[in-house]
Amino acid sequence: MDTEARIKSLAPTNNHQTDDFIAVLVKRGVVKEEDTAGLREKYVMAEDIFDALLKLDPSSEEKLVKAYADYRRADYIELKQVDASVLAMMPRSIERQYQIVPYELDKRTVKLAVANPVRLARGNLAVIKEMERKSGLVIEISYTTSG
């Protein structure tokens, strides 16, 4: 997948894609089928649903992040330890603003863990494109919890 396609895959979603996210939430048991009509009615984007459900029940973060990763066809990872040299690749300001942590460097690919998909999707996605341009590396996104 080229850079443009990867960036578009991170962008906020539309109503049709929201239905896809809701389907994943039901499949994973995060919400019940009977609650989905209210979600569809009230929220336009998957990221809005993610944010609302997380605020409603912060203890559901791991389930929500796993469901969001499935929805985005990305990996969910549990960050245990990050190599300091990989961590140093990203400015701390970007790391904090978007809750992104570089966790692995493999030849020409750097893997980033996103702890809050809402911040990245609603933020300036060009940050990922710019990081690829400056580093000359391909960026792969995974999702993780903030804890």
mmCIF file with all atom_site columns, all heavy atoms in Angstrom, residues 62-79:
data_model
loop_
_atom_site.group_PDB
_atom_site.id
_atom_site.type_symbol
_atom_site.label_atom_id
_atom_site.label_alt_id
_atom_site.label_comp_id
_atom_site.label_asym_id
_atom_site.label_entity_id
_atom_site.label_seq_id
_atom_site.pdbx_PDB_ins_code
_atom_site.Cartn_x
_atom_site.Cartn_y
_atom_site.Cartn_z
_atom_site.occupancy
_atom_site.B_iso_or_equiv
_atom_site.pdbx_formal_charge
_atom_site.auth_seq_id
_atom_site.auth_comp_id
_atom_site.auth_asym_id
_atom_site.auth_atom_id
_atom_site.pdbx_PDB_model_num
ATOM 1   N N   . GLU A 1 62 ? -9.411  -1.424 26.170 1.00 0.00 ? 62 GLU A N   1
ATOM 2   C CA  . GLU A 1 62 ? -8.744  -2.495 25.422 1.00 0.00 ? 62 GLU A CA  1
ATOM 3   C C   . GLU A 1 62 ? -9.687  -3.116 24.392 1.00 0.00 ? 62 GLU A C   1
ATOM 4   O O   . GLU A 1 62 ? -9.307  -3.332 23.241 1.00 0.00 ? 62 GLU A O   1
ATOM 5   C CB  . GLU A 1 62 ? -8.206  -3.568 26.367 1.00 0.00 ? 62 GLU A CB  1
ATOM 6   C CG  . GLU A 1 62 ? -7.400  -4.617 25.643 1.00 0.00 ? 62 GLU A CG  1
ATOM 7   C CD  . GLU A 1 62 ? -6.746  -5.631 26.580 1.00 0.00 ? 62 GLU A CD  1
ATOM 8   O OE1 . GLU A 1 62 ? -6.575  -5.338 27.773 1.00 0.00 ? 62 GLU A OE1 1
ATOM 9   O OE2 . GLU A 1 62 ? -6.412  -6.714 26.088 1.00 0.00 ? 62 GLU A OE2 1
ATOM 10  N N   . LYS A 1 63 ? -10.920 -3.388 24.786 1.00 0.00 ? 63 LYS A N   1
ATOM 11  C CA  . LYS A 1 63 ? -11.897 -3.952 23.847 1.00 0.00 ? 63 LYS A CA  1
ATOM 12  C C   . LYS A 1 63 ? -12.143 -3.008 22.673 1.00 0.00 ? 63 LYS A C   1
ATOM 13  O O   . LYS A 1 63 ? -12.223 -3.430 21.527 1.00 0.00 ? 63 LYS A O   1
ATOM 14  C CB  . LYS A 1 63 ? -13.233 -4.203 24.546 1.00 0.00 ? 63 LYS A CB  1
ATOM 15  C CG  . LYS A 1 63 ? -13.294 -5.403 25.424 1.00 0.00 ? 63 LYS A CG  1
ATOM 16  C CD  . LYS A 1 63 ? -14.714 -5.509 25.940 1.00 0.00 ? 63 LYS A CD  1
ATOM 17  C CE  . LYS A 1 63 ? -14.883 -6.577 26.970 1.00 0.00 ? 63 LYS A CE  1
ATOM 18  N NZ  . LYS A 1 63 ? -16.278 -6.641 27.445 1.00 0.00 ? 63 LYS A NZ  1
ATOM 19  N N   . LEU A 1 64 ? -12.277 -1.721 22.997 1.00 0.00 ? 64 LEU A N   1
ATOM 20  C CA  . LEU A 1 64 ? -12.527 -0.730 21.951 1.00 0.00 ? 64 LEU A CA  1
ATOM 21  C C   . LEU A 1 64 ? -11.354 -0.606 20.986 1.00 0.00 ? 64 LEU A C   1
ATOM 22  O O   . LEU A 1 64 ? -11.544 -0.539 19.772 1.00 0.00 ? 64 LEU A O   1
ATOM 23  C CB  . LEU A 1 64 ? -12.823 0.640  22.571 1.00 0.00 ? 64 LEU A CB  1
ATOM 24  C CG  . LEU A 1 64 ? -14.218 0.837  23.118 1.00 0.00 ? 64 LEU A CG  1
ATOM 25  C CD1 . LEU A 1 64 ? -14.290 2.120  23.938 1.00 0.00 ? 64 LEU A CD1 1
ATOM 26  C CD2 . LEU A 1 64 ? -15.231 0.873  21.996 1.00 0.00 ? 64 LEU A CD2 1
ATOM 27  N N   . VAL A 1 65 ? -10.150 -0.566 21.530 1.00 0.00 ? 65 VAL A N   1
ATOM 28  C CA  . VAL A 1 65 ? -8.966  -0.433 20.677 1.00 0.00 ? 65 VAL A CA  1
ATOM 29  C C   . VAL A 1 65 ? -8.810  -1.678 19.799 1.00 0.00 ? 65 VAL A C   1
ATOM 30  O O   . VAL A 1 65 ? -8.498  -1.576 18.614 1.00 0.00 ? 65 VAL A O   1
ATOM 31  C CB  . VAL A 1 65 ? -7.693  -0.156 21.501 1.00 0.00 ? 65 VAL A CB  1
ATOM 32  C CG1 . VAL A 1 65 ? -6.452  -0.207 20.634 1.00 0.00 ? 65 VAL A CG1 1
ATOM 33  C CG2 . VAL A 1 65 ? -7.799  1.200  22.195 1.00 0.00 ? 65 VAL A CG2 1
ATOM 34  N N   . LYS A 1 66 ? -9.041  -2.843 20.342 1.00 0.00 ? 66 LYS A N   1
ATOM 35  C CA  . LYS A 1 66 ? -8.958  -4.073 19.542 1.00 0.00 ? 66 LYS A CA  1
ATOM 36  C C   . LYS A 1 66 ? -10.006 -4.055 18.420 1.00 0.00 ? 66 LYS A C   1
ATOM 37  O O   . LYS A 1 66 ? -9.715  -4.444 17.291 1.00 0.00 ? 66 LYS A O   1
ATOM 38  C CB  . LYS A 1 66 ? -9.143  -5.303 20.427 1.00 0.00 ? 66 LYS A CB  1
ATOM 39  C CG  . LYS A 1 66 ? -7.921  -5.617 21.262 1.00 0.00 ? 66 LYS A CG  1
ATOM 40  C CD  . LYS A 1 66 ? -8.152  -6.830 22.146 1.00 0.00 ? 66 LYS A CD  1
ATOM 41  C CE  . LYS A 1 66 ? -6.897  -7.174 22.931 1.00 0.00 ? 66 LYS A CE  1
ATOM 42  N NZ  . LYS A 1 66 ? -7.097  -8.337 23.804 1.00 0.00 ? 66 LYS A NZ  1
ATOM 43  N N   . ALA A 1 67 ? -11.208 -3.596 18.751 1.00 0.00 ? 67 ALA A N   1
ATOM 44  C CA  . ALA A 1 67 ? -12.259 -3.511 17.734 1.00 0.00 ? 67 ALA A CA  1
ATOM 45  C C   . ALA A 1 67 ? -11.885 -2.489 16.662 1.00 0.00 ? 67 ALA A C   1
ATOM 46  O O   . ALA A 1 67 ? -12.073 -2.734 15.464 1.00 0.00 ? 67 ALA A O   1
ATOM 47  C CB  . ALA A 1 67 ? -13.596 -3.135 18.378 1.00 0.00 ? 67 ALA A CB  1
ATOM 48  N N   . TYR A 1 68 ? -11.336 -1.365 17.074 1.00 0.00 ? 68 TYR A N   1
ATOM 49  C CA  . TYR A 1 68 ? -10.933 -0.332 16.110 1.00 0.00 ? 68 TYR A CA  1
ATOM 50  C C   . TYR A 1 68 ? -9.807  -0.857 15.214 1.00 0.00 ? 68 TYR A C   1
ATOM 51  O O   . TYR A 1 68 ? -9.810  -0.612 14.013 1.00 0.00 ? 68 TYR A O   1
ATOM 52  C CB  . TYR A 1 68 ? -10.512 0.948  16.836 1.00 0.00 ? 68 TYR A CB  1
ATOM 53  C CG  . TYR A 1 68 ? -10.385 2.125  15.908 1.00 0.00 ? 68 TYR A CG  1
ATOM 54  C CD1 . TYR A 1 68 ? -11.508 2.876  15.560 1.00 0.00 ? 68 TYR A CD1 1
ATOM 55  C CD2 . TYR A 1 68 ? -9.163  2.484  15.372 1.00 0.00 ? 68 TYR A CD2 1
ATOM 56  C CE1 . TYR A 1 68 ? -11.406 3.948  14.693 1.00 0.00 ? 68 TYR A CE1 1
ATOM 57  C CE2 . TYR A 1 68 ? -9.054  3.563  14.504 1.00 0.00 ? 68 TYR A CE2 1
ATOM 58  C CZ  . TYR A 1 68 ? -10.177 4.290  14.170 1.00 0.00 ? 68 TYR A CZ  1
ATOM 59  O OH  . TYR A 1 68 ? -10.064 5.352  13.304 1.00 0.00 ? 68 TYR A OH  1
ATOM 60  N N   . ALA A 1 69 ? -8.872  -1.567 15.798 1.00 0.00 ? 69 ALA A N   1
ATOM 61  C CA  . ALA A 1 69 ? -7.787  -2.157 15.004 1.00 0.00 ? 69 ALA A CA  1
ATOM 62  C C   . ALA A 1 69 ? -8.362  -3.134 13.971 1.00 0.00 ? 69 ALA A C   1
ATOM 63  O O   . ALA A 1 69 ? -7.958  -3.117 12.798 1.00 0.00 ? 69 ALA A O   1
ATOM 64  C CB  . ALA A 1 69 ? -6.770  -2.853 15.908 1.00 0.00 ? 69 ALA A CB  1
ATOM 65  N N   . ASP A 1 70 ? -9.307  -3.970 14.389 1.00 0.00 ? 70 ASP A N   1
ATOM 66  C CA  . ASP A 1 70 ? -9.962  -4.891 13.438 1.00 0.00 ? 70 ASP A CA  1
ATOM 67  C C   . ASP A 1 70 ? -10.633 -4.107 12.318 1.00 0.00 ? 70 ASP A C   1
ATOM 68  O O   . ASP A 1 70 ? -10.506 -4.439 11.143 1.00 0.00 ? 70 ASP A O   1
ATOM 69  C CB  . ASP A 1 70 ? -11.031 -5.732 14.141 1.00 0.00 ? 70 ASP A CB  1
ATOM 70  C CG  . ASP A 1 70 ? -10.473 -6.903 14.892 1.00 0.00 ? 70 ASP A CG  1
ATOM 71  O OD1 . ASP A 1 70 ? -9.247  -7.128 14.848 1.00 0.00 ? 70 ASP A OD1 1
ATOM 72  O OD2 . ASP A 1 70 ? -11.270 -7.599 15.548 1.00 0.00 ? 70 ASP A OD2 1
ATOM 73  N N   . TYR A 1 71 ? -11.362 -3.084 12.712 1.00 0.00 ? 71 TYR A N   1
ATOM 74  C CA  . TYR A 1 71 ? -12.082 -2.250 11.752 1.00 0.00 ? 71 TYR A CA  1
ATOM 75  C C   . TYR A 1 71 ? -11.128 -1.624 10.732 1.00 0.00 ? 71 TYR A C   1
ATOM 76  O O   . TYR A 1 71 ? -11.413 -1.578 9.537  1.00 0.00 ? 71 TYR A O   1
ATOM 77  C CB  . TYR A 1 71 ? -12.853 -1.185 12.528 1.00 0.00 ? 71 TYR A CB  1
ATOM 78  C CG  . TYR A 1 71 ? -13.280 0.008  11.740 1.00 0.00 ? 71 TYR A CG  1
ATOM 79  C CD1 . TYR A 1 71 ? -14.241 -0.099 10.739 1.00 0.00 ? 71 TYR A CD1 1
ATOM 80  C CD2 . TYR A 1 71 ? -12.724 1.254  11.999 1.00 0.00 ? 71 TYR A CD2 1
ATOM 81  C CE1 . TYR A 1 71 ? -14.629 1.011  10.012 1.00 0.00 ? 71 TYR A CE1 1
ATOM 82  C CE2 . TYR A 1 71 ? -13.118 2.357  11.282 1.00 0.00 ? 71 TYR A CE2 1
ATOM 83  C CZ  . TYR A 1 71 ? -14.067 2.235  10.291 1.00 0.00 ? 71 TYR A CZ  1
ATOM 84  O OH  . TYR A 1 71 ? -14.445 3.336  9.578  1.00 0.00 ? 71 TYR A OH  1
ATOM 85  N N   . ARG A 1 72 ? -9.973  -1.171 11.188 1.00 0.00 ? 72 ARG A N   1
ATOM 86  C CA  . ARG A 1 72 ? -8.982  -0.548 10.308 1.00 0.00 ? 72 ARG A CA  1
ATOM 87  C C   . ARG A 1 72 ? -8.054  -1.576 9.653  1.00 0.00 ? 72 ARG A C   1
ATOM 88  O O   . ARG A 1 72 ? -7.148  -1.213 8.908  1.00 0.00 ? 72 ARG A O   1
ATOM 89  C CB  . ARG A 1 72 ? -8.131  0.457  11.095 1.00 0.00 ? 72 ARG A CB  1
ATOM 90  C CG  . ARG A 1 72 ? -8.872  1.707  11.493 1.00 0.00 ? 72 ARG A CG  1
ATOM 91  C CD  . ARG A 1 72 ? -9.232  2.503  10.284 1.00 0.00 ? 72 ARG A CD  1
ATOM 92  N NE  . ARG A 1 72 ? -9.734  3.819  10.651 1.00 0.00 ? 72 ARG A NE  1
ATOM 93  C CZ  . ARG A 1 72 ? -10.134 4.701  9.780  1.00 0.00 ? 72 ARG A CZ  1
ATOM 94  N NH1 . ARG A 1 72 ? -10.098 4.428  8.500  1.00 0.00 ? 72 ARG A NH1 1
ATOM 95  N NH2 . ARG A 1 72 ? -10.579 5.863  10.171 1.00 0.00 ? 72 ARG A NH2 1
ATOM 96  N N   . ARG A 1 73 ? -8.287  -2.845 9.949  1.00 0.00 ? 73 ARG A N   1
ATOM 97  C CA  . ARG A 1 73 ? -7.450  -3.935 9.419  1.00 0.00 ? 73 ARG A CA  1
ATOM 98  C C   . ARG A 1 73 ? -5.980  -3.722 9.767  1.00 0.00 ? 73 ARG A C   1
ATOM 99  O O   . ARG A 1 73 ? -5.086  -3.824 8.931  1.00 0.00 ? 73 ARG A O   1
ATOM 100 C CB  . ARG A 1 73 ? -7.658  -4.091 7.924  1.00 0.00 ? 73 ARG A CB  1
ATOM 101 C CG  . ARG A 1 73 ? -9.041  -4.579 7.565  1.00 0.00 ? 73 ARG A CG  1
ATOM 102 C CD  . ARG A 1 73 ? -9.217  -4.729 6.076  1.00 0.00 ? 73 ARG A CD  1
ATOM 103 N NE  . ARG A 1 73 ? -10.542 -5.226 5.754  1.00 0.00 ? 73 ARG A NE  1
ATOM 104 C CZ  . ARG A 1 73 ? -11.611 -4.453 5.550  1.00 0.00 ? 73 ARG A CZ  1
ATOM 105 N NH1 . ARG A 1 73 ? -11.517 -3.152 5.662  1.00 0.00 ? 73 ARG A NH1 1
ATOM 106 N NH2 . ARG A 1 73 ? -12.774 -4.993 5.253  1.00 0.00 ? 73 ARG A NH2 1
ATOM 107 N N   . ALA A 1 74 ? -5.784  -3.397 11.022 1.00 0.00 ? 74 ALA A N   1
ATOM 108 C CA  . ALA A 1 74 ? -4.437  -3.155 11.541 1.00 0.00 ? 74 ALA A CA  1
ATOM 109 C C   . ALA A 1 74 ? -4.217  -4.077 12.731 1.00 0.00 ? 74 ALA A C   1
ATOM 110 O O   . ALA A 1 74 ? -5.153  -4.725 13.211 1.00 0.00 ? 74 ALA A O   1
ATOM 111 C CB  . ALA A 1 74 ? -4.291  -1.697 11.972 1.00 0.00 ? 74 ALA A CB  1
ATOM 112 N N   . ASP A 1 75 ? -2.985  -4.129 13.196 1.00 0.00 ? 75 ASP A N   1
ATOM 113 C CA  . ASP A 1 75 ? -2.665  -4.962 14.343 1.00 0.00 ? 75 ASP A CA  1
ATOM 114 C C   . ASP A 1 75 ? -2.977  -4.232 15.644 1.00 0.00 ? 75 ASP A C   1
ATOM 115 O O   . ASP A 1 75 ? -2.896  -3.006 15.728 1.00 0.00 ? 75 ASP A O   1
ATOM 116 C CB  . ASP A 1 75 ? -1.171  -5.316 14.356 1.00 0.00 ? 75 ASP A CB  1
ATOM 117 C CG  . ASP A 1 75 ? -0.796  -6.248 13.221 1.00 0.00 ? 75 ASP A CG  1
ATOM 118 O OD1 . ASP A 1 75 ? -1.665  -7.033 12.777 1.00 0.00 ? 75 ASP A OD1 1
ATOM 119 O OD2 . ASP A 1 75 ? 0.357   -6.183 12.771 1.00 0.00 ? 75 ASP A OD2 1
ATOM 120 N N   . TYR A 1 76 ? -3.308  -5.012 16.651 1.00 0.00 ? 76 TYR A N   1
ATOM 121 C CA  . TYR A 1 76 ? -3.376  -4.526 18.027 1.00 0.00 ? 76 TYR A CA  1
ATOM 122 C C   . TYR A 1 76 ? -2.133  -5.083 18.702 1.00 0.00 ? 76 TYR A C   1
ATOM 123 O O   . TYR A 1 76 ? -1.830  -6.264 18.557 1.00 0.00 ? 76 TYR A O   1
ATOM 124 C CB  . TYR A 1 76 ? -4.627  -5.027 18.752 1.00 0.00 ? 76 TYR A CB  1
ATOM 125 C CG  . TYR A 1 76 ? -4.566  -4.762 20.234 1.00 0.00 ? 76 TYR A CG  1
ATOM 126 C CD1 . TYR A 1 76 ? -4.933  -3.527 20.737 1.00 0.00 ? 76 TYR A CD1 1
ATOM 127 C CD2 . TYR A 1 76 ? -4.091  -5.726 21.114 1.00 0.00 ? 76 TYR A CD2 1
ATOM 128 C CE1 . TYR A 1 76 ? -4.840  -3.259 22.098 1.00 0.00 ? 76 TYR A CE1 1
ATOM 129 C CE2 . TYR A 1 76 ? -3.997  -5.466 22.473 1.00 0.00 ? 76 TYR A CE2 1
ATOM 130 C CZ  . TYR A 1 76 ? -4.373  -4.231 22.955 1.00 0.00 ? 76 TYR A CZ  1
ATOM 131 O OH  . TYR A 1 76 ? -4.268  -3.967 24.297 1.00 0.00 ? 76 TYR A OH  1
ATOM 132 N N   . ILE A 1 77 ? -1.413  -4.243 19.414 1.00 0.00 ? 77 ILE A N   1
ATOM 133 C CA  . ILE A 1 77 ? -0.230  -4.723 20.115 1.00 0.00 ? 77 ILE A CA  1
ATOM 134 C C   . ILE A 1 77 ? -0.254  -4.256 21.563 1.00 0.00 ? 77 ILE A C   1
ATOM 135 O O   . ILE A 1 77 ? -0.880  -3.260 21.901 1.00 0.00 ? 77 ILE A O   1
ATOM 136 C CB  . ILE A 1 77 ? 1.084   -4.242 19.448 1.00 0.00 ? 77 ILE A CB  1
ATOM 137 C CG1 . ILE A 1 77 ? 1.162   -2.723 19.466 1.00 0.00 ? 77 ILE A CG1 1
ATOM 138 C CG2 . ILE A 1 77 ? 1.212   -4.758 18.049 1.00 0.00 ? 77 ILE A CG2 1
ATOM 139 C CD1 . ILE A 1 77 ? 2.583   -2.253 19.420 1.00 0.00 ? 77 ILE A CD1 1
ATOM 140 N N   . GLU A 1 78 ? 0.402   -5.030 22.386 1.00 0.00 ? 78 GLU A N   1
ATOM 141 C CA  . GLU A 1 78 ? 0.613   -4.633 23.773 1.00 0.00 ? 78 GLU A CA  1
ATOM 142 C C   . GLU A 1 78 ? 2.069   -4.218 23.890 1.00 0.00 ? 78 GLU A C   1
ATOM 143 O O   . GLU A 1 78 ? 2.959   -5.047 23.751 1.00 0.00 ? 78 GLU A O   1
ATOM 144 C CB  . GLU A 1 78 ? 0.301   -5.795 24.708 1.00 0.00 ? 78 GLU A CB  1
ATOM 145 C CG  . GLU A 1 78 ? -1.172  -6.133 24.751 1.00 0.00 ? 78 GLU A CG  1
ATOM 146 C CD  . GLU A 1 78 ? -1.484  -7.247 25.740 1.00 0.00 ? 78 GLU A CD  1
ATOM 147 O OE1 . GLU A 1 78 ? -0.679  -7.498 26.660 1.00 0.00 ? 78 GLU A OE1 1
ATOM 148 O OE2 . GLU A 1 78 ? -2.546  -7.862 25.575 1.00 0.00 ? 78 GLU A OE2 1
ATOM 149 N N   . LEU A 1 79 ? 2.273   -2.938 24.099 1.00 0.00 ? 79 LEU A N   1
ATOM 150 C CA  . LEU A 1 79 ? 3.647   -2.449 24.217 1.00 0.00 ? 79 LEU A CA  1
ATOM 151 C C   . LEU A 1 79 ? 4.194   -2.812 25.593 1.00 0.00 ? 79 LEU A C   1
ATOM 152 O O   . LEU A 1 79 ? 3.647   -2.414 26.605 1.00 0.00 ? 79 LEU A O   1
ATOM 153 C CB  . LEU A 1 79 ? 3.699   -0.927 24.049 1.00 0.00 ? 79 LEU A CB  1
ATOM 154 C CG  . LEU A 1 79 ? 3.547   -0.398 22.643 1.00 0.00 ? 79 LEU A CG  1
ATOM 155 C CD1 . LEU A 1 79 ? 3.603   1.127  22.651 1.00 0.00 ? 79 LEU A CD1 1
ATOM 156 C CD2 . LEU A 1 79 ? 4.623   -0.952 21.735 1.00 0.00 ? 79 LEU A CD2 1
#
